[in-house]
Amino acid sequence: MDEPVDSPPADGNNGSSSSDSSNSGLDRVRDGSVNLSVLNWDQVQRLDAILTGSIPIHGRWSFPTLEMKPRDIVKVVRCRMEERRIHVREVRLNGSAASHVLHEDSGLGWKDLDLIFCADLKGETEFQMVKDIVLDALLDFLPEGVNKEKLTPVTLKEAYVQKMVKVCNDSDRWSLISLSNNRGKNVELKFVDSLRRQFEFSVDSFQIRLDSLLLFYECSEHPMAATFHPTILGESVYGDFPAALDHLRRRLICTRSPEEIRGGGLLKYCHLLVRGFRAACDAEMKLLQRYMCSRFFIDFSDIGEQRRKLESYLQNHFVGLEDRKYDYLATLYEVVQESTVCLMGHERRQTLSLISSLALRVLAEQNAIPNAANVTCFYQPAPYVADGNFSNYYVAQVQPVYSCPPSPSQHYHPHHAVYQHATWLPCN
């Protein structure tokens, strides 16, 4: 990852301690604006609350829950990486947690805790070491009385790891280990040597450099205060920190080159729309929607892959917001229907039918299928039970999409937002 240099404090920031010489300058983006800003005291307090708060890592089956503070898991993993001679250049907080630190009332809250270890990963040996280090570190957080000798790395992986990803090519060299939390706040440890594309939209482009705060935890004998706290830098890898923060505050959607993003950013884009965000420029976003859809169908060309991706997204991103799933699928349907130009007619209809069937399933789960006279539910015959593409629900006739305001008692509303959402999806 590039090392940005030089940043004046943002207005209202309290730089109560000076930056070291490595932060004497800032990378500047093409238009001359800076991509770094110093966190103010309120932001520092929110960051401290996240790093020192306890997050449960839930074990599968009868495995006990691990209670870990982010600052502790960072310390344990980093120390063991250095012991194994894997140099960690710095540690950063990324994603929705970083956005929450910079602006508390974004309408997104924070979900996963994304921690980035910027490290030297030259080959398969280093990737395997990192995996072993994380799994071994989990032993430190087991409750007292647990017999650790019988817990192998394979057992720990099956019990506590939700997913593992490794990417190693000419432009991207990184791995991800996600630790499970049943309430949707997974602890995601990302180990990055190089990563070409580090954001989807400007509002999720923030990274906060943690090294100065982590050093303060280790060295200071006094608690932090408004007049006594380390200088902490926030960065927007979108490139323009003031613009990205303004987008976050005003709930604007802005990106560039979505064809560079795996999946095109399509699913995240529709999620932002449902959560009350709007396009910074409607005309430009209509054009970018085509690139989003094209890249999504390049990466997920098979209908089975599309189903698995959508089901996974719904499961992981709507914990506690199940009543928003239908709105999300209705929005996705409209975007795909309007902006997909890369598929043949039958492929397009197949994808739209998939989205419709998922929407009906969501309504059935909520016991809220509208206009039941137009829905015929067929019993699923035994020969098709094992077929993942067989839908439990079949809509007897094509229905237009009607809009009406959501019920205040059933739907989540971000502040100052009024929604129109589809109550029905057409299905072929």
Side-chain angles (χ1 to χ4, degrees), residues 186-409:
N186 294 343
V187 176
E188 303 210 328
L189 308 177
K190 195 169 188 177
F191 303 87
V192 177
D193 182 278
S194 61
L195 183 58
R196 178 179 54 182
R197 176 82 180 207
Q198 302 182 56
F199 72 99
E200 292 184 272
F201 298 89
S202 61
V203 294
D204 64 11
S205 68
F206 300 105
Q207 296 182 3
I208 297 175
R209 299 180 175 187
L210 302 179
D211 285 18
S212 60
L213 182 55
L214 295 173
L215 182 61
F216 182 91
Y217 289 146
E218 294 296 317
C219 300
S220 177
E221 298 178 355
H222 304 283
M224 287 192 299
T227 56
F228 181 73
H229 62 83
T231 296
I232 304 170
L233 292 178
E235 176 182 358
S236 169
V237 292
Y238 170 75
D240 186 332
F241 191 99
L245 188 58
D246 182 63
H247 294 162
L248 184 65
R249 287 170 174 162
R250 296 170 59 196
R251 302 186 184 182
L252 299 178
I253 304 173
C254 187
T255 190
R256 57 174 176 269
S257 304
E259 67 276 7
E260 296 177 355
I261 308 168
R262 175 166 171 78
L266 175 64
L267 303 186
K268 177 65 175 287
Y269 171 65
C270 294
H271 195 178
L272 290 173
L273 289 174
V274 169
R275 298 298 290 268
F277 285 67
R278 68 184 191 280
C281 175
D282 288 331
E284 180 183 8
M285 195 56 66
K286 291 295 183 184
L287 176 62
L288 292 182
Q289 283 181 188
R290 294 190 173 191
Y291 291 101
M292 294 179 198
C293 291
S294 295
R295 178 60 195 262
F296 180 84
F297 291 115
I298 289 173
D299 292 332
F300 306 100
S301 56
D302 178 74
I303 192 68
E305 293 177 334
Q306 294 170 24
R307 174 182 291 276
R308 286 189 291 273
K309 182 64 178 176
L310 289 176
E311 289 178 340
S312 174
Y313 195 91
L314 290 172
Q315 179 181 353
N316 294 331
H317 291 81
F318 289 87
V319 176
L321 294 171
E322 284 75 13
D323 58 333
R324 302 298 293 171
K325 287 182 179 180
Y326 183 85
D327 294 340
Y328 174 78
L329 290 166
T331 301
L332 177 64
Y333 185 100
E334 292 173 1
V335 172
V336 170
Q337 184 180 50
E338 176 184 3
S339 301
T340 299
V341 296
C342 62
L343 297 181
M344 298 180 66
H346 74 280
E347 294 174 322
R348 185 170 177 272
R349 289 191 295 272
Q350 190 179 38
T351 298
L352 292 174
S353 179
L354 167 64
I355 299 172
S356 295
S357 67
L358 290 175
L360 280 174
R361 188 174 76 182
V362 165
L363 290 177
E365 290 171 352
Q366 298 173 359
N367 197 25
I369 295 181
N371 194 5
N374 291 321
V375 178
T376 303
C377 296
F378 292 97
Y379 178 75
Q380 197 169 35
Y384 299 97
V385 170
D387 184 356
N389 292 323
F390 186 88
S391 174
N392 288 318
Y393 299 97
Y394 172 76
V395 179
Q397 54 183 299
V398 175
Q399 299 289 328
V401 176
Y402 298 104
S403 297
C404 69
S407 168
S409 63

Side-chain angles (χ1 to χ4, degrees), residues 115-134:
L115 295 165
I116 299 178
F117 294 77
C118 303
D120 296 335
L121 305 172
K122 302 305 181 185
E124 180 61 32
T125 300
E126 285 76 15
F127 281 108
Q128 185 60 45
M129 282 185 184
V130 165
K131 175 183 173 182
D132 294 340
I133 286 169
V134 172

Side-chain angles (χ1 to χ4, degrees), residues 7-11 13 26 34-39 232-235 241:
S7 163
D11 292 341
N13 288 349
L26 298 181
V34 297
N35 64 343
L36 298 189
S37 178
V38 178
L39 271 61
I232 304 170
L233 292 178
E235 176 182 358
F241 191 99

